[in-house]
Amino acid sequence: MSTQTLNALNPNQVKEMFLYVGEKVVESKPLLTKIDSAIGDGDHGIGMSVGFTKAEENLRTNEFTTINDVFKTIGMSMISSMGGASGVIFGTMFVGGIKGLEPMETLELASLADIYEKALEAIKQRGKAELGDKTMIDAFQPAVAALKASVAANDSFLDGLRKAEAAALEGVEATKDFIAKFGRAKSLGERAIGHQDAGATTVFIIFKSMKEWVEGTDNE
């Protein structure tokens, strides 16, 4: 399948892409647990694994006719199964951006950028975190900005995801220099410096995995 034909994904392709994303996040459970154990509660990897496992179960047992329903299924699966702040925040990454949107039968780079821009705002309203607070926002906001810039530059879907992945990774690296404003890490003050944020790392893994799936499908 050429890059040209993959500039718009149908609901089944979006479902397959996020099944792959979930698989990669679950595989990263030991890494996320290790990162979170350094300055947090150590349960981030477990929570993300539970959330994406539930999402996989619900994605596999349903057929989808709209992109909206794929995103909603993932988000609601995470919120209902994970509990706690991470479940709400990462669930909102999927449900927050589709709220009020007309049903979509294809996902293009522009619509992905719009969905995630809305999701970013919803997460900020819910969690009250901003850039520099050592949270998932530090990877998600730069990734969204990269997607928007790619749309403006008329990049392909794959190139947009590549740039979003790179921006998310820069965001993860930046969290090492921040003092945490939320969670257990907040009590550590400057001792949290030098450690990356687990939530930001998960955001990077999500974008990296989306890119890998599109890349792999392009090469078939």
Side-chain angles (χ1 to χ4, degrees):
M1 192 179 289
S2 72
T3 313
Q4 289 303 312
T5 57
L6 214 64
N7 276 327
L9 309 188
N10 63 37
N12 191 57
Q13 287 171 317
V14 174
K15 167 183 166 175
E16 290 300 324
M17 177 172 72
F18 282 119
L19 282 170
Y20 178 81
V21 168
E23 189 184 307
K24 292 299 167 186
V25 174
V26 172
E27 278 177 18
S28 303
K29 179 172 142 184
L31 170 69
L32 294 171
T33 299
K34 184 182 174 186
I35 291 167
D36 195 38
S37 295
I39 54 169
D41 295 324
D43 60 355
H44 183 75
I46 297 162
M48 295 312 302
S49 179
V50 167
F52 270 106
T53 300
K54 188 65 180 174
E56 179 192 358
E57 190 182 303
N58 289 332
L59 285 173
R60 288 198 187 282
T61 53
N62 288 288
E63 292 299 319
F64 299 93
T65 55
T66 69
I67 304 301
N68 314 54
D69 284 342
V70 179
F71 273 81
K72 185 178 179 181
T73 298
I74 297 164
M76 295 310 292
S77 299
M78 296 179 92
I79 291 168
S80 66
S81 64
M82 287 170 68
S86 276
V88 173
I89 294 301
F90 278 90
T92 301
M93 185 177 175
F94 291 94
V95 295
I98 54 157
K99 201 172 178 184
L101 284 188
E102 291 292 315
M104 293 183 296
E105 292 180 9
T106 58
L107 182 71
E108 296 165 356
L109 189 63
S111 46
L112 179 66
D114 287 342
I115 288 169
Y116 276 158
E117 187 176 39
K118 281 185 70 180
L120 175 64
E121 289 312 310
I123 290 167
K124 284 183 164 188
Q125 283 174 11
R126 233 172 228 281
K128 310 300 180 196
E130 290 293 337
L131 205 60
D133 287 346
K134 207 178 183 91
T135 70
M136 63 90 80
I137 295 287
D138 293 311
F140 194 33
Q141 186 164 318
V144 170
L147 288 177
K148 298 295 282 185
S150 281
V151 172
N154 208 23
D155 287 337
S156 69
F157 201 100
L158 179 55
D159 282 341
L161 287 175
R162 281 176 176 150
K163 289 177 182 178
E165 176 199 5
L169 181 57
E170 280 183 24
V172 171
E173 288 300 315
T175 63
K176 293 176 182 178
D177 297 327
F178 300 149
I179 292 171
K181 304 279 180 69
F182 294 90
R184 180 173 167 262
K186 182 181 175 183
S187 65
L188 297 177
E190 291 192 356
R191 283 178 294 157
I193 293 176
H195 297 281
Q196 72 197 62
D197 179 68
T201 306
T202 297
V203 171
F204 162 67
I205 293 166
I206 289 170
F207 279 102
K208 179 174 186 279
S209 305
M210 289 168 74
K211 179 215 70 178
E212 285 174 356
W213 186 87
V214 173
E215 217 165 33
T217 310
D218 268 355
N219 292 330
E220 281 178 8

